[in-house]
Structure formats: C-alpha cells, structure tokens
C-alpha cells in the first residue's frame, strides 16, 4: 500500500493492496470524476504534485505522463506517498 495526500485539503488516505485510489476516495465520500475504471476513458485523470506514480493505464501518452498526469482508477505509486492536485 501507499498514502495519497490531497493537496487542497491536506487529507491523507491509505491505499491498501488491491484497492484503487479512486475506490478509496469514493468510499470516503469524495466527488471524483470517473467512468470506465479500466484505464481507457480518461475521465479520472488527475495531476500529480509530488511522488512518482506507477502508471497502469492505456490512456496517457508518455508526454502526458511526463507532465504529471495520472489515472487514479488503475494506477498506483512507486513512492510511499503520492500528493495529488485534488
Ligand atoms: Fe476511465 Fe480511469 S475511469 S481511465
């Protein structure tokens, strides 16, 4: 697992093995955009502020990844903490 930090509120969420960032945020009652939950539609894209995502989607180009985009329905983190522009 790893920890996600939301930049605006400072809230922190533990993302356990087998759960997506999207699932954890929705379970907490946050209103986040999503659709396919399979890494193909692009609806759940967020900007990474700090940390290194483990990209597992089929949506983002290498350029978009380099610019800090990530898909929270399916991608994880290579770093223990990941700060998102949410
Ligand atoms: Fe479709 Fe994440 S919900 S890519």
């Amino acid at each position: 697992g790893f920890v996600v930090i939301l930049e605006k509120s400072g809230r922190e969420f533990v993302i356990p093995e087998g759960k997506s960032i999207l699932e954890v945020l929705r379970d907490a009652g946050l209103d986040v955009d999503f659709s396919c939950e399979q890494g193909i539609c692009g609806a759940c894209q967020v900007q990474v502020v700090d940390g290194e995502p483990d990209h597992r989607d089929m949506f983002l180009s290498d350029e978009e990844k380099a610019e800090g985009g990530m898909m929270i329905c399916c991608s994880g983190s290579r770093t223990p903490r990941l700060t998102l522009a949410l």
Side-chain angles (χ1 to χ4, degrees), residues 2 13 23 26 33 40 43 50 59 64-65 73 77 80 83:
F2 57 96
F13 297 90
E23 284 175 310
R26 286 175 61 203
D33 289 333
I40 53 180
D50 192 42
F59 178 81
E64 288 168 320
K65 290 174 188 169
C73 69
S77 182
T83 305

Side-chain angles (χ1 to χ4, degrees), residues 22 33-45 57 59 71-74:
L22 177 66
D33 289 333
F34 70 97
S35 179
C36 71
E37 295 190 71
Q38 294 176 48
I40 53 180
C41 76
C44 70
Q45 183 171 345
D57 67 275
F59 178 81
M71 314 311 295
I72 58 169
C73 69
C74 57

